Amino acid sequence: MMGCCLFIHQKKKRKQRKRDVDSLSLCSLDINEPSSKRVKPLSRVTSLASLIAPVQAAPLKRIGQTLQRSISFRSVCKPEIMSPRPWSRQIAPANTKRRDSKLWSETFDLGLGHMLSSEEIKRQEAIFELSQGEQDLIEDLKLAKKAYRDPMLKLSIMSEHELNQIFGTLDSLIPLHEDLLSRLREVRKPDGSTDHVGHILVDWLPCLETYNSYCSNQVAAKALLDHKKQDHRVHDFLQRCLESPFSRKLDLWSFLDIPRSRLVKYPLLLREILKHTPSEHPDRQHLHHAMNMIQSIVADINTQTGESECRYYKERLLYLESGQRDLLIDSSRILSCHGQLKNNRGVKLHVFLFQDVLVVTRAVTQNEQLCYQLHQQPIPVRDLEWEDLQDGEMRLGGSIRGAFSNSERTKNFFRVSFRSGGQLQMHCFQASDAFNKQQWLNCIRQAKEAVCSAECEPQTAARCSDCSAECSQMDLTDLTLTPVET
C-alpha cells in the first residue's frame, strides 16, 4: 500500500515538473531569466548620491524645485486594468544593478601618489568623477535610443510622432556631452592627473541651454508614456527590456530622466572640485565663474520647466460651466503644488495650488487623455483661510461605517475656506499622511504670503510717491524750528 502511494506521489511530481517546464518555455524568450525571488527594490545610487537630499514619496508634487526631483505621476482615476494573458508572466521586483564605481586612484597607476597631498588626490577624484559621469551619461543616452526608441519605431509599437513626444530632444544631448568628455580627456596628462578644468567648463556650460526644451517636455512625455503602457504591445516590450541585463533593472522613464538628474548634479560636482582646489591655484577663478554660470543656468531651466508644467495642467482643466472660468487661472504662470486629496466623504480629488488661486478638481478621462474637471468654484489665494485640524476632530461622513458609528476618528485633515458675496465656501481635505499634510499647509501659507507681499508693494510705493509729492510742494521757509533742551 505504501509502495502504491509512493508511486502515485512520484507520478504527480513528474507531471508538475512537466507543466512547469511547458509554462516556462511559453513565457520566456530569454535563456537567462532574472531571479523571481522577492526582494526589496533598491534605488539608484551614484558616488554623489549622499550629497542629494532624498525625495519624499508622496502624492503632493511641489513645483518650486521642479528640476530637483524626478517627475512622478500617480493615476488619480481608475486605470485601465490589463488582464494578464496566459503566457504573460508576472515578474517580482528585483534589485536595480548599479555600475561599478570607478575611482581615479584605482584607474591610474599612481606612481606619483607619494608626491601628491591628500587634498590634491581628492581634487583629482572629483575631476575624474566629472569625466566618468559624462561617459556613463553618454552610454545611457545611446542605450535609450538603440534599445528602446529604434526598436519600437521599427516594430511599429509606437508611431514616430509618439516617440518624438516621449524622447523629446534626447538625440541632441549626446554630441553635447561627447564634446565635454573629449575636452576633459584632452587635458588629462599621461599619468592620469588634470591640472585645469575651469576654463573648459566656462566655455562649455552655455551649451546646457539645450536642456530647456528637453526638461520642459518631460511632464507631457511622462503622461504619454504612462498612457501608452496600457497598450499590451508597449507593456510587453518594456517588460522584456526591464528583464534584460542591459537595462540594469531600470525602466524606460529612468533612462529618460537621467539627463535631468545629471543637470542638477553639476553644481555639486563643481563645488566638490572647488572645495579641494587651493586658494592660490590658477584654476580657482575659472571654477568660481563656472559655478555662478551653472547655478544661473539651472535656475533659468527650473523656471521655464515650472512654467511649462503649469501650462500643461491649465490646458487639461475642464469647466462644467462658463462661470467657473477664472482670470486668476489664466494669468497664473506658477503651479506651487498639486496632488491627490480626499474630502470628508472619502471622494478622491485632485487639487491644484496656482500662484493666485486654489482649484479643486476630479480626475476624468476624455478622449483617452487624463483631464481635471472643476469640482467647485476656484478660490482666490488672497481670500483663502486655512486651518490645521487635529486628529479625531474631523468625522468621516457618507460611509456605511460612519452611518453606524459616530466615533470614527480620522487623521491628517485640514480645512480651507473663503467668503464670497456673504456665502462661505469650505473644504475639508485629508492628506495621505502627516508629512503630506504639512507640505500642503506650508505651500498654502507661502502662496498666501507671496500674494499679500505682491499686493502690499504697489500700495507702499504709492504711499511713498504721495509723501514725496507732498514734501516737494511744502514751502520750507514756513517751517518753524523749535530748539530742544538737552
Side-chain angles (χ1 to χ4, degrees):
M1 181 68 179
M2 290 180 61
C4 182
C5 292
L6 180 60
F7 173 76
I8 294 173
H9 178 67
Q10 291 176 342
K11 187 175 181 181
K12 287 182 177 179
K13 289 181 67 176
R14 283 197 299 271
K15 288 183 177 180
Q16 180 63 39
R17 282 198 299 270
K18 186 176 185 303
R19 282 196 297 269
D20 293 342
V21 172
D22 292 342
S23 176
L24 181 62
S25 64
L26 282 173
C27 66
S28 174
L29 294 180
D30 297 327
I31 296 176
N32 297 320
E33 286 292 326
S35 170
S36 60
K37 182 179 179 181
R38 187 175 296 277
V39 292
K40 185 178 180 180
L42 298 177
S43 58
R44 292 188 67 200
V45 179
T46 66
S47 57
L48 283 177
S50 60
L51 299 177
I52 302 177
V55 179
Q56 179 74 19
L60 171 65
K61 288 89 172 176
R62 297 198 59 174
I63 313 301
Q65 300 294 329
T66 305
L67 291 175
Q68 303 299 327
R69 46 99 177 114
S70 176
I71 300 174
S72 61
F73 286 71
R74 296 191 180 201
S75 178
V76 292
C77 63
K78 289 187 178 180
E80 180 182 345
I81 305 300
M82 294 184 296
S83 57
R85 288 171 287 179
W87 59 87
S88 178
R89 200 156 46 90
Q90 297 299 315
I91 304 298
N95 292 338
T96 56
K97 295 182 180 180
R98 296 174 294 165
R99 282 192 177 94
D100 294 332
S101 60
K102 296 179 180 179
L103 299 177
W104 175 77
S105 55
E106 296 175 349
T107 305
F108 298 97
D109 183 16
L110 293 184
L112 74 163
H114 63 282
M115 302 171 55
L116 300 178
S117 65
S118 61
E119 198 68 11
E120 178 61 23
I121 292 177
K122 291 178 182 178
R123 181 173 181 271
Q124 294 299 325
E125 293 286 5
I127 294 174
F128 183 73
E129 167 68 15
L130 172 64
S131 176
Q132 188 61 37
E134 291 301 301
Q135 181 176 327
D136 293 344
L137 174 62
I138 293 167
E139 292 176 0
D140 285 336
L141 295 182
K142 289 182 175 179
L143 178 65
K145 182 178 184 300
K146 182 179 179 180
Y148 289 92
R149 190 188 189 283
D150 293 351
M152 284 194 286
L153 179 61
K154 186 175 182 179
L155 298 173
S156 300
I157 294 176
M158 286 195 210
S159 69
E160 184 174 5
H161 176 68
E162 290 170 334
L163 290 170
N164 288 340
Q165 283 186 289
I166 292 173
F167 284 80
T169 58
L170 183 139
D171 283 354
S172 67
L173 303 181
I174 297 176
L176 175 72
H177 292 280
E178 286 178 332
D179 177 41
L180 176 59
L181 180 60
S182 175
R183 297 190 196 191
L184 293 173
R185 285 177 172 173
E186 285 178 1
V187 296
R188 183 184 294 164
K189 296 193 292 188
D191 59 18
S193 63
T194 302
D195 288 336
H196 302 85
V197 294
H199 66 290
I200 294 176
L201 293 170
V202 169
D203 185 54
W204 178 82
L205 283 174
C207 300
L208 289 178
E209 296 291 347
T210 308
Y211 270 76
N212 263 321
S213 57
Y214 185 80
C215 293
S216 296
N217 180 63
Q218 279 196 299
V219 180
K222 184 63 168 64
L224 178 58
L225 178 60
D226 286 346
H227 173 69
K228 294 301 296 182
K229 284 180 181 178
Q230 298 177 16
D231 185 316
H232 288 298
R233 294 188 67 202
V234 175
H235 178 269
D236 288 353
F237 177 84
L238 295 178
Q239 182 63 34
R240 291 193 180 281
C241 289
L242 187 63
E243 297 170 21
S244 300
F246 71 79
S247 72
R248 307 195 307 278
K249 307 302 178 187
L250 300 173
D251 61 14
L252 173 57
W253 183 251
S254 296
F255 284 101
L256 296 177
D257 193 49
I258 285 175
R260 178 209 57 83
S261 177
R262 180 67 178 173
L263 179 63
V264 298
K265 283 182 183 177
Y266 282 120
L268 301 176
L269 289 163
L270 266 63
R271 188 177 296 117
E272 192 68 10
I273 297 173
L274 191 58
K275 175 182 176 182
H276 300 295
T277 300
S279 56
E280 67 278 4
H281 198 289
D283 201 30
R284 192 170 180 86
Q285 183 176 356
H286 286 111
L287 288 172
H288 271 298
H289 187 193
M291 174 64 77
N292 293 332
M293 289 177 65
I294 188 59
Q295 289 177 338
S296 175
I297 290 171
V298 170
D300 181 56
I301 296 175
N302 184 63
T303 299
Q304 295 194 38
T305 303
E307 291 177 356
S308 174
E309 192 165 6
C310 183
R311 286 194 302 271
Y312 175 85
Y313 285 110
K314 287 199 300 183
E315 290 170 358
R316 278 151 186 80
L317 292 178
L318 300 179
Y319 301 92
L320 292 176
E321 52 189 42
S322 59
Q324 290 181 324
R325 292 186 175 275
D326 197 309
L327 291 177
L328 292 176
I329 298 177
D330 297 335
S331 62
S332 291
R333 297 178 60 191
I334 299 174
L335 178 58
S336 300
C337 63
H338 70 101
Q340 180 179 285
L341 296 170
K342 294 181 180 179
N343 64 12
N344 61 328
R345 294 182 175 273
V347 176
K348 293 180 180 179
L349 304 170
H350 200 97
V351 182
F352 295 90
L353 178 60
F354 294 96
Q355 65 191 72
D356 295 318
V357 62
L358 182 78
V359 182
V360 183
T361 71
R362 286 181 178 176
V364 296
T365 302
Q366 186 178 75
N367 299 326
E368 298 186 351
Q369 190 176 64
L370 184 62
C371 298
Y372 303 91
Q373 187 179 80
L374 265 69
H375 181 59
Q376 294 285 348
Q377 193 68 21
I379 303 175
V381 170
R382 66 173 176 271
D383 301 326
L384 183 65
E385 301 294 335
W386 74 94
E387 180 183 1
D388 184 1
L389 300 179
Q390 298 299 316
D391 290 348
E393 185 175 345
M394 191 70 198
R395 300 190 185 279
L396 194 62
S399 65
I400 296 177
R401 287 192 301 162
F404 290 95
S405 173
N406 293 324
S407 61
E408 184 175 0
R409 298 175 62 83
T410 53
K411 296 182 178 181
N412 308 316
F413 265 91
F414 64 95
R415 180 187 292 129
V416 298
S417 60
F418 90 110
R419 290 187 177 276
S420 176
Q423 293 184 342
L424 178 66
Q425 183 180 152
M426 183 182 301
H427 300 279
C428 293
F429 295 125
Q430 184 181 30
S432 58
D433 52 42
F435 176 82
N436 188 236
K437 180 178 80 167
Q438 194 57 49
Q439 279 189 308
W440 271 106
L441 293 176
N442 289 341
C443 285
I444 293 173
R445 184 182 67 254
Q446 292 168 7
K448 179 88 172 180
E449 291 173 353
V451 169
C452 293
S453 176
E455 290 180 348
C456 289
E457 286 179 1
Q459 295 175 6
T460 303
R463 286 197 298 270
C464 292
S465 178
D466 292 341
C467 291
S468 299
E470 290 176 4
C471 290
S472 64
Q473 295 172 3
M474 291 176 63
D475 187 356
L476 296 182
T477 57
D478 294 337
L479 290 178
T480 303
L481 300 180
T482 304
V484 178
E485 295 182 1
T486 57

